[in-house]
Amino acid sequence: MLKNLVHALDAWLWRQGIQHPQIRFVLRNEMLCAGAALLCGAALWVVTPWIFWFAVGFALMVQVFWGLARFFLRTGLLEYSTALLMMALLRASARLLLTGAVLYVALVWCRAPVAALLGGLVAGTAVALGSYGLAGRTGHI
């Protein structure tokens, strides 16, 4: 079942323009971990909401990596210019504003634990870096 899910997610990422094998591996692992964390958090909400807010932080990092990957993989290496830098900065700023808005709502309105959100953000970054290292080192794609 997990093999079918991985294959389906890889195919979907390919159709979305994520064709670099290492980046697709990173995004796939990020999405699977975030999805599992969100399911666990939703299932265990009655016991503790901490897991859910951890998963929200993790999902925010998936959103950041997703946006970066889609933008830079759609741009050819010969097209780098000042306009590209400005577009990258504008997109990064928009993602940062979205992330800030979600964090504001979570922290102020929903009273989410800061440690859970921060832990999810850090875990999302660690999974991305670890997956990229594993894909590059072992050729595991």
Side-chain angles (χ1 to χ4, degrees):
M1 182 172 124
L2 183 62
K3 196 172 194 176
N4 291 336
L5 179 63
V6 167
H7 181 69
L9 188 54
D10 272 345
W12 182 78
L13 286 169
W14 181 272
R15 288 190 304 271
Q16 297 303 312
I18 310 296
Q19 291 151 353
H20 191 280
Q22 289 178 324
I23 302 302
R24 193 172 56 248
F25 181 75
V26 169
L27 280 173
R28 178 187 65 208
N29 288 347
E30 284 263 309
M31 288 178 168
L32 288 174
C33 289
L38 282 168
L39 285 174
C40 289
L44 297 173
W45 176 267
V46 210
V47 178
T48 178
W50 202 93
I51 299 168
F52 176 77
W53 292 115
F54 175 87
V56 168
F58 203 113
L60 284 173
M61 286 311 298
V62 172
Q63 178 261 143
V64 168
F65 288 123
W66 167 261
L68 288 172
R70 284 199 55 181
F71 177 73
F72 284 108
L73 289 176
R74 287 182 177 179
T75 306
L77 290 175
L78 300 175
E79 298 176 29
Y80 288 120
S81 66
T82 306
L84 176 69
L85 175 63
M86 290 305 293
M87 186 56 74
L89 289 174
L90 283 172
R91 286 175 172 254
S93 297
R95 276 191 299 278
L96 186 60
L97 284 173
L98 175 67
T99 302
V102 170
L103 288 174
Y104 178 80
V105 168
L107 291 170
V108 175
W109 289 354
C110 300
R111 307 221 190 281
V114 175
L117 287 167
L118 184 60
L121 291 168
V122 170
T125 304
V127 167
L129 291 173
S131 294
Y132 186 73
L134 179 66
R137 184 175 183 169
T138 62
H140 181 71
I141 299 169

